[in-house]
Amino acid sequence: VGTSIKDGEPRPPSTALQTLIDTTPGLAKAVIREKLHAYDPAYFQDEATSHDPFLMQAAEALCSTGESKEPRANVSVPVDENPTHIDLDDFISGLTRSTSHFLRKSLQARRHYYDAPLEEDESLEINGLVGWGLKNQLLQSRHFDSTYESAWRQQGLIPSGEFGHLQLVKQVGSIESLLEDLPELEITRIDIKINGIQITGNVPTHPDGRVLIISPSKAPKGRDLMQLWIYQNLISQATEQASGGLIVNIDKQLVETHLTPPESPQITLKFLLQIYLDNLKSPQANFPETSYAISQIKRHDNDDEILFESKQQAAGLKSWLENSDYKTGEGHDPDIGLFFTESALSS
């Protein structure tokens, strides 16, 4: 008899099994209760046991609380052969959120959160990151009604009770005047092969054919730019036509950032695909936000190589360590923190 995949609580046997237990003398004593989830913490506490030595090694590393040497958790998973098909959303996730993707895709691990449920009358405020998430949901749906609100509440995107409703209405009000000015989104289906691996999915595009991303951030983020760049290369390769890109950011007005078409999409996609495949085996030091902060540093005429590199390192470290209501640096990401420290920025 197993447990719930959602909260780890015991699940009752099926009706047929329970009937068999009730009608067979002595059978109740033979029932064995197990967690039956490979990533359940119970299997890695006290005397850890696992039938898979590689997952066992990974679990022990992930559950370790003591001081460890670099790298923090040197975990790898054997991959007998590369996939023959990759969904586009999966491809994007593996390149923009590498460590989280490795945990969920390769280790099939999920974090268990012990936050107490919110009380209906609890007084609190949502931070900037939660507000950003709500705005993003609103921008993707383009409208709001009670059905959306109920779904987002169940997904944990908004707090419970009247407070959550008021916060959502507040976010709606902050962008409502801009919704009509947003460019229309169209969907372009792609189906291409790179090095014998098929990549399929939907790419958001502007009516004029350019790839389009609409973001609630006030300025372009590293992940947005990387996602847009990947989309551009895929569209250009699939249509054999150069495709530009556009990010529309939501501030007090709409802010547009235009990207030129990629020059060698096939070469770029082969390079990105190899990173994705490597990340299936072990987490790659791929940090879009920190890398973007480093790339924004301009070199002055009087900067020698050493000075310019020190400026880049300082900018990267600042982004990595930033921690506020409006931005959390990648150094504070709990998934990234399992494998990397700031020393990874110099590698």
Side-chain angles (χ1 to χ4, degrees):
V1 179
T3 57
S4 169
I5 194 172
K6 293 182 178 179
D7 55 18
E9 294 299 314
R11 290 290 304 274
S14 66
T15 303
L17 180 57
Q18 187 61 59
T19 301
L20 179 64
I21 293 172
D22 292 340
T23 57
T24 305
L27 187 57
K29 296 180 180 180
V31 173
I32 298 175
R33 297 191 177 276
E34 280 286 349
K35 297 296 184 180
L36 298 182
H37 305 303
Y39 47 82
D40 194 288
Y43 289 120
F44 311 108
Q45 295 170 353
D46 298 327
E47 275 195 40
T49 58
S50 174
H51 297 292
D52 187 324
F54 297 100
L55 284 180
M56 178 68 178
Q57 175 202 3
E60 288 177 337
L62 297 181
C63 292
S64 174
T65 57
E67 292 295 325
S68 57
K69 299 178 181 179
E70 296 289 352
R72 287 192 171 185
N74 189 9
V75 177
S76 61
V77 174
V79 177
D80 294 333
E81 55 184 32
N82 290 331
T84 58
H85 172 264
I86 301 174
D87 180 77
L88 178 54
D89 290 340
D90 199 44
F91 189 59
I92 295 290
S93 173
L95 292 168
T96 59
R97 300 181 181 275
S98 300
T99 50
S100 298
H101 186 268
F102 172 77
L103 282 165
R104 286 150 182 73
K105 182 78 173 180
S106 299
L107 291 186
Q108 300 180 4
R110 299 289 190 276
R111 287 186 174 277
H112 187 77
Y113 294 95
Y114 295 94
D115 295 339
L118 290 171
E119 299 294 336
E120 289 290 327
D121 58 351
E122 186 171 352
S123 177
L124 52 83
E125 293 184 359
I126 62 172
N127 62 27
L129 291 176
V130 176
W132 181 90
L134 290 178
K135 280 187 180 180
N136 195 41
Q137 293 292 330
L138 290 166
L139 290 174
Q140 303 312 315
S141 63
R142 296 298 182 94
H143 69 279
F144 161 69
D145 56 32
S146 58
T147 302
Y148 278 88
E149 180 176 359
S150 176
W152 294 344
R153 194 186 305 280
Q154 292 177 23
Q155 296 168 24
L157 298 174
I158 58 176
S160 61
E162 182 64 17
F163 173 79
H165 173 74
L166 293 175
Q167 290 296 328
L168 186 56
V169 171
K170 178 181 177 181
Q171 298 299 334
V172 172
S174 70
I175 63 172
E176 192 169 25
S177 61
L178 299 175
L179 288 177
E180 292 184 0
D181 298 327
L182 290 173
E184 290 297 320
L185 266 176
E186 297 181 355
I187 297 298
T188 301
R189 181 73 179 173
I190 64 159
D191 186 342
I192 64 173
K193 271 193 174 183
I194 303 294
N195 287 353
I197 299 177
Q198 191 172 29
I199 301 176
T200 61
N202 297 321
V203 175
T205 55
H206 189 278
D208 65 10
R210 288 180 297 169
V211 177
L212 172 63
I213 289 181
I214 299 175
S215 170
S217 303
K218 295 182 179 180
K221 295 172 67 69
R223 284 192 179 93
D224 290 340
L225 288 165
M226 188 171 186
Q227 182 172 351
L228 184 68
W229 184 55
I230 296 170
Y231 280 155
Q232 284 183 262
N233 280 280
L234 288 166
I235 283 281
S236 298
Q237 180 69 17
T239 62
E240 298 183 350
Q241 295 180 350
S243 174
L246 172 65
I247 295 179
V248 177
N249 291 99
I250 306 297
D251 199 350
K252 294 180 181 178
Q253 57 184 359
L254 301 181
V255 180
E256 295 188 358
T257 301
H258 302 263
L259 269 68
T260 58
E263 295 183 359
S264 306
Q266 187 174 35
I267 295 175
T268 300
L269 288 171
K270 288 181 178 180
F271 171 76
L272 292 172
L273 178 61
Q274 190 57 54
I275 295 177
Y276 175 89
L277 296 175
D278 289 341
N279 194 69
L280 293 178
K281 303 173 185 176
S282 61
Q284 302 298 298
N286 182 23
F287 315 120
E289 301 303 331
T290 305
S291 298
Y292 179 56
I294 293 174
S295 71
Q296 292 300 100
I297 301 301
K298 306 299 182 184
R299 184 169 185 172
H300 299 130
D301 293 339
N302 58 344
D303 288 347
D304 59 26
E305 195 69 34
I306 296 177
L307 179 59
F308 180 57
E309 286 187 3
S310 67
K311 287 182 177 180
Q312 288 183 309
Q313 290 174 2
L317 190 59
K318 180 181 178 182
S319 175
W320 178 269
L321 296 175
E322 187 169 351
N323 189 17
S324 68
D325 282 347
Y326 300 98
K327 182 179 179 182
T328 301
E330 287 167 315
H332 298 281
D333 185 307
D335 290 342
I336 291 176
L338 286 170
F339 306 102
F340 303 104
T341 65
E342 62 190 57
S343 64
L345 301 182
S346 60
S347 61

